């Protein structure tokens, strides 16, 4: 049997301290579908006993990095005191020198001076939900009074910058972005958003089972990615970070999609913990049939080793329809949730990604070569000579002769 560290080494915890509870009424929110599974009072949050058990167990594994992603709904509804308790528990149960990382995905509405001072002090990485210029953001991201929230989110961004809080822009793409990739990108850059992530809205109507009006079609998505890349490359390489592009450069260098689970060759990188301690393999699959266990009756290790999680990971297997595709090693069939709308086990965005891969192949190959050369030069300058069969000192995990020693 594998050790605890072997079981949990690749896993990041996604934690929903208030489940789907939120202070906005975003039209395209896919978390709403769990509201009937976890009906709760608006003020209800993860009990201290569950939080303590979760952090006590996970911190005790002494992993190289203990990473926690706090999500919702809107996780800041749990309150600042809740997150102060998070840090207290991490300090109490951690060991000297243990590396801890916290990220928080938020709409930014509740952030104020006290929140930002705390986030900066404990180096939380923030994912700020903002859909670009006011007309696009306010189209779907509204409060319960049917009012747009763009100016409030921009105020939160300015506040975080003032306090030195690191944050990324998380942008949901709907059909409204058609033909607007370049001006959306330039808007972000002109407003000092240097770290971006673009997420296609792939949503089904729970009553009809058909795509919603805000479902992003493969045709629009493929064109968006190509136009976005053309605006970014080459002038903003190294200056502006786009998560998908970073992942593609990583693949060109090490043949691994290190930061992009959508294209990963496995589907067991996460455990999702609901506010009441229930555990699932992914935040897109909070369904009764995929429940792995609960912290009220079991442990993280038991959930990670469960047969149901093994089955979920097995579902990532590339379909027969994808075999022979020249880009299969880039995407490995795509995200499981996107396959629900596809055909023959393929992602509904298969054609979009094929178009993007073909459009950018030469450029990413060139960027990968440049990174490898920079790595080689740095390694040769800063390290004493190593044997040909020794691990490369650059940290790639390859033998020296197969990496910087080429």
């Amino acid at each position: 049997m594998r050790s605890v560290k072997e079981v949990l080494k690749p896993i990041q915890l996604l934690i929903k301290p208030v489940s789907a509870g939120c202070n906005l009424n975003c039209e395209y929110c896919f978390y709403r579908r769990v509201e009937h599974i976890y009906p709760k009072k608006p003020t209800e949050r993860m009990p201290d006993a569950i939080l303590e058990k979760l952090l006590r167990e996970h911190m005790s594994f002494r992993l190289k990095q203990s990473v926690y992603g706090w999500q919702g709904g809107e996780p800041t509804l749990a309150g600042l005191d809740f997150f102060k308790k998070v840090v207290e528990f991490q300090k109490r149960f951690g060991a000297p020198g243990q590396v801890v990382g916290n990220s928080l995905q938020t709409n930014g509405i509740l952030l104020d001076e006290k929140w930002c001072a705390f986030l900066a002090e404990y180096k939380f990485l923030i994912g700020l939900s903002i859909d670009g210029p006011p007309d696009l953001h306010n189209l779907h991201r509204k409060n319960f009074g049917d009012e747009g929230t763009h100016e409030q989110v921009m105020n939160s961004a300015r506040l975080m910058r003032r306090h030195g809080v690191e944050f990324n822009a998380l942008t949901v793409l709907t059909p409204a972005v058609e033909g607007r990739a370049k001006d959306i990108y330039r808007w972000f850059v002109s407003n000092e958003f240097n770290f971006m992530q673009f997420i296609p809205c792939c949503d089904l109507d729970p009553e009809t089972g058909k795509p919603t009006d805000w479902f992003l079609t493969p045709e629009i998505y493929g064109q968006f990615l190509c136009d976005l890349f053309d605006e970014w490359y080459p002038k903003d390489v190294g200056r502006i970070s786009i998560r998908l592009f970073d992942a593609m450069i990583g693949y060109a260098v090490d043949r691994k999609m290190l930061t992009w689970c959508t294209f990963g060759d496995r589907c067991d990188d996460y455990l999702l913990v609901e506010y009441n301690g229930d555990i699932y393999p992914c935040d897109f699959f909070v369904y009764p049939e995929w429940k792995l266990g609960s912290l009220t009756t079991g442990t993280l290790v038991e959930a990670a080793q469960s047969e149901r999680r093994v089955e979920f990971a097995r579902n990532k297997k590339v379909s027969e329809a994808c075999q022979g595709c020249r880009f299969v090693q880039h995407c490995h069939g795509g995200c499981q949730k996107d396959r629900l709308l596809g055909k023959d086990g393929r992602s509904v965005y298969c054609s979009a990604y094929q178009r993007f891969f073909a459009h950018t192949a030469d450029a990413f190959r060139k960027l990968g070569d440049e990174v490898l050369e920079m790595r080689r030069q740095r390694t040769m300058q800063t390290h004493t000579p190593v044997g040909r069969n020794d691990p490369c000192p650059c940290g790639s995990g390859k033998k020296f002769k197969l990496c910087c020693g080429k």
Side-chain angles (χ1 to χ4, degrees):
M1 179 178 292
R2 293 188 298 167
S3 68
V4 168
K5 286 191 176 183
E6 289 174 321
V7 172
L8 293 174
K9 182 179 180 181
I11 293 176
Q12 295 187 36
L13 292 184
L14 303 179
I15 308 164
K16 295 169 65 177
V18 296
S19 191
C22 192
N23 52 353
L24 292 188
N25 193 29
C26 301
E27 193 173 28
Y28 52 47
C29 181
F30 78 90
Y31 282 119
R32 287 179 177 177
R33 58 176 170 70
V34 308
E35 288 178 334
H36 70 285
I37 302 175
Y38 294 101
K40 51 189 285 297
K41 299 176 182 178
T43 57
E44 197 170 359
R45 63 169 174 78
M46 178 176 282
D48 289 349
I50 294 293
L51 177 65
E52 181 175 358
K53 181 177 181 179
L54 169 67
L55 295 178
R56 182 196 299 272
E57 180 183 359
H58 195 260
M59 294 293 291
S60 72
F61 301 145
R62 303 293 185 253
L63 303 176
K64 185 175 181 180
Q65 292 183 328
S66 299
V67 182
Y68 305 93
W70 304 92
Q71 298 188 341
E74 175 50 46
T76 59
L77 287 175
L80 181 55
D81 286 343
F82 174 86
F83 284 95
K84 288 181 177 179
K85 193 164 295 184
V86 166
V87 172
E88 290 175 8
F89 283 148
Q90 289 171 342
K91 290 179 177 179
R92 183 188 306 175
F93 302 134
Q98 189 171 353
V99 177
V100 178
N102 287 294
S103 65
L104 178 72
Q105 185 170 326
T106 178
N107 57 39
I109 301 299
L110 295 180
L111 298 186
D112 57 16
E113 297 284 350
K114 291 182 179 180
W115 263 107
C116 289
F118 169 81
L119 297 173
E121 180 179 1
Y122 292 102
K123 296 181 173 56
F124 275 62
L125 175 63
I126 305 304
L128 182 67
S129 295
I130 181 168
D131 285 355
D135 64 310
L136 286 176
H137 179 93
N138 290 334
L139 183 63
H140 298 292
R141 301 195 65 81
K142 300 178 181 181
N143 60 28
F144 283 92
D146 203 35
E147 301 167 320
T149 58
H150 190 269
E151 187 54 36
Q152 289 174 282
V153 178
M154 288 298 292
N155 286 337
S156 294
R158 288 187 279 268
L159 188 60
M160 286 193 287
R161 287 195 186 99
R162 193 157 66 243
H163 281 268
V165 179
E166 294 188 20
F167 64 95
N168 305 330
L170 305 181
T171 301
V172 177
L173 304 177
T174 67
V177 305
E178 185 173 10
R180 297 192 58 181
K182 294 185 179 182
D183 71 84
I184 291 170
Y185 175 74
R186 295 322 310 177
W187 182 88
F188 275 118
V189 172
S190 66
N191 283 278
E192 302 180 68
F193 289 90
N194 296 332
F195 297 86
M196 310 173 200
Q197 181 179 346
F198 296 95
I199 307 161
C201 185
C202 183
D203 201 17
L204 291 174
D205 187 312
E207 295 183 1
T208 66
K210 296 180 180 180
T212 60
D213 292 339
W214 44 89
F215 166 74
L216 184 71
T217 66
E219 295 75 20
I220 296 176
Y221 188 34
Q223 186 65 54
F224 181 92
L225 290 178
C226 292
D227 290 346
L228 181 69
F229 179 84
D230 291 344
E231 191 67 13
W232 172 80
Y233 180 83
K235 60 181 178 300
D236 287 337
V237 173
R239 187 174 77 89
I240 304 297
S241 170
I242 297 176
R243 191 180 181 195
L244 171 58
F245 299 173
D246 292 345
M248 293 297 294
I249 295 173
Y251 179 81
V253 173
D254 293 318
R255 291 296 182 266
K256 293 180 181 179
M257 289 291 185
L258 297 178
T259 61
W260 193 255
C261 70
T262 299
F263 293 161
D265 60 355
R266 52 193 296 161
C267 215
D268 57 357
D269 289 339
Y270 300 99
L271 285 178
L272 183 284
V273 183
E274 269 285 351
Y275 86 104
N276 67 343
D278 288 350
I279 305 171
Y280 296 86
C282 173
D283 55 338
F284 290 111
F285 287 85
V286 179
Y287 299 112
E289 60 267 31
W290 287 115
K291 182 178 174 182
L292 306 179
S294 175
L295 289 174
T296 60
T297 58
T299 66
L300 288 171
V301 171
E302 289 170 347
Q305 292 178 324
S306 67
E307 180 56 36
R308 191 165 295 177
R309 181 164 178 266
V310 173
E311 179 186 354
F312 183 82
R314 192 183 299 125
N315 286 346
K316 179 66 173 181
K317 182 179 179 182
V318 174
S319 71
E320 291 185 10
C322 295
Q323 302 293 344
C325 173
R326 65 187 177 118
F327 298 121
V328 69
Q329 293 303 315
H330 287 65
C331 73
H332 296 93
C335 180
Q336 287 195 49
K337 73 173 176 60
D338 296 341
R339 297 184 190 185
L340 299 177
L341 280 174
K343 296 180 179 179
D344 304 320
R346 293 181 298 174
S347 166
V348 69
Y349 292 123
C350 177
S351 61
Y353 291 134
Q354 285 186 336
R355 182 177 182 181
F356 170 69
F357 294 149
H359 182 75
T360 60
D362 291 341
F364 279 124
R365 190 179 301 114
K366 179 181 178 181
L367 287 171
D369 289 343
E370 291 174 358
V371 171
L372 284 170
E373 178 58 22
M374 290 170 58
R375 178 189 287 178
R376 189 187 72 82
Q377 292 289 347
R378 185 169 61 249
T379 300
M380 301 304 287
Q381 292 171 6
T382 60
H383 293 276
T384 56
V386 295
R388 282 170 44 80
N389 291 311
D390 291 339
C392 188
C394 76
S396 67
K398 300 178 182 179
K399 291 182 178 180
F400 180 66
K401 68 181 180 183
L402 299 176
C403 190
C404 295
K406 282 185 179 180

